[in-house]
Amino acid sequence: MFSIELVEALREVARHGNLTRAASAMDLSKSTVSKYITELEAQVGVQLLQRSTRTVLVTDAGRHLLKRSVALVDLARRIQSELDAHGASAR
């Protein structure tokens, strides 16, 4: 099973077209985002990105994972927001 955080990194890389801009959007280092992508690829057992020195391209497998995971990631974010709100109101 892969982590939502890893899939979010893939989403940001796909959206921004490179690791540097994705890392900036996520407020993470480029190396952390790269590690997240490498870990996700290892967990799912397929290459999700084709990397070059300037850009990255999402592979067919990467596009499939992104398409299928949109609802999952959005649901996880909503649940976390609800839990954060619940925790704030309990204080």
Side-chain angles (χ1 to χ4, degrees):
M1 177 66 76
F2 49 84
S3 153
I4 298 297
E5 187 174 44
L6 302 181
V7 176
E8 286 180 322
L10 178 63
R11 286 176 68 174
E12 289 299 316
V13 171
R15 183 169 66 172
H16 293 284
N18 77 31
L19 295 172
T20 302
R21 288 191 297 265
S24 178
M26 297 178 73
D27 200 27
L28 296 171
S29 70
K30 179 182 172 184
S31 65
T32 297
V33 173
S34 180
K35 287 177 189 175
Y36 282 1
I37 299 301
T38 300
E39 184 176 336
L40 181 59
E41 288 177 328
Q43 288 179 7
V44 298
V46 295
Q47 184 179 1
L48 302 171
L49 297 175
Q50 284 185 317
R51 297 158 179 87
S52 74
T53 55
R54 292 188 176 221
T55 62
V56 293
L57 299 174
V58 181
T59 65
D60 288 342
R63 282 190 293 278
H64 180 74
L65 176 60
L66 287 169
K67 181 180 175 183
R68 299 289 288 161
S69 66
V70 168
L72 178 64
V73 171
D74 290 342
L75 178 60
R77 286 180 179 165
R78 279 198 313 269
I79 291 169
Q80 187 61 58
S81 292
E82 292 166 0
L83 290 172
D84 291 346
H86 180 67
S89 67
R91 291 182 199 136

